[in-house]
Amino acid sequence: MNTINYWLMKSEPGVYSISDLQNQNQTIWDGVRNYQARNFLRQMQIGDLAFFYHSNAEPPGIFGLMKIVETGIADPTQFDVNSKYYDDKSTPESPRWQTVKLEFVEVFNNPLSLSTLKQNFHGDELLVVKKGNRLSVTPVIESVGSRILEIARDT
């Protein structure tokens, strides 16, 4: 039996929001240029769930849920000389940056603000609440992922 893993993925709502994903239904998560975050993207499996976190927002927090529907995609922005994510050391034969395709699942009726997350979880459970953590893609342990869903869906 395959295990469904949980992830947290950050985006600034002015750049790409949960509403943008809802309107498009699917997207690739491009532009990640941190090796640790890239390695987390490489670990994702089809069917895994990811929490959509709005960073640099008021309030910042988890606003919805996505599902990984394709993995092992070469991030096309690394080859685009006009992109701020261009990487001149990357080639189509040997891409340095991979990404995943995500599908919209839901917008939470009760978004979980960062302060709510800090009240319910500590940094060893959920990296986004850990002081100094700036990674845009992080794993979420199963028990924490289940609890986030409970809190977000509790009306």
Side-chain angles (χ1 to χ4, degrees):
M1 181 178 125
N2 286 344
T3 303
I4 293 179
N5 300 306
Y6 291 96
W7 305 91
L8 185 139
M9 301 172 80
K10 294 181 185 177
S11 180
E12 295 181 14
V15 175
Y16 193 82
S17 71
I18 187 73
S19 297
D20 294 325
L21 178 59
Q22 184 177 19
N23 291 335
Q24 295 174 347
N25 192 47
Q26 291 188 346
T27 193
I28 62 166
W29 203 261
D30 59 9
V32 173
R33 293 298 181 270
N34 172 286
Y35 286 106
Q36 190 174 3
R38 181 215 48 199
N39 292 342
F40 289 140
L41 286 167
R42 288 179 171 177
Q43 293 173 31
M44 292 180 180
Q45 300 171 29
I46 293 171
D48 285 355
L49 296 174
F51 297 105
F52 199 120
Y53 184 94
H54 282 177
S55 60
N56 199 16
E58 270 311 314
I62 297 174
F63 280 75
L65 190 65
M66 316 175 274
K67 181 175 16 178
I68 288 76
V69 294
E70 189 176 336
T71 59
I73 300 167
D75 183 337
T77 61
Q78 68 192 311
F79 309 121
D80 181 354
V81 295
N82 296 315
S83 171
K84 68 179 182 177
Y85 301 113
Y86 175 68
D87 184 339
D88 63 353
K89 293 181 174 63
S90 191
T91 64
E93 300 75 33
S94 184
R96 294 171 79 176
W97 306 103
Q98 287 76 36
T99 191
V100 296
K101 182 182 276 187
L102 298 156
E103 182 175 87
F104 173 80
V105 174
E106 68 181 291
V107 172
F108 292 150
N109 290 331
N110 302 309
L112 282 74
S113 68
L114 180 57
S115 61
T116 298
L117 294 171
K118 286 180 177 180
Q119 290 170 12
N120 286 276
F121 305 102
H122 56 77
D124 292 335
E125 293 176 307
L126 187 62
L127 287 174
V128 75
V129 303
K130 189 173 193 171
K131 189 172 178 77
N133 177 64
R134 297 188 42 85
L135 286 175
S136 63
V137 178
T138 55
V140 176
I141 58 176
E142 184 179 4
S143 59
V144 171
S146 296
R147 182 74 180 119
I148 290 170
L149 288 174
E150 281 177 28
I151 296 168
R153 291 174 174 163
D154 195 22
T155 49

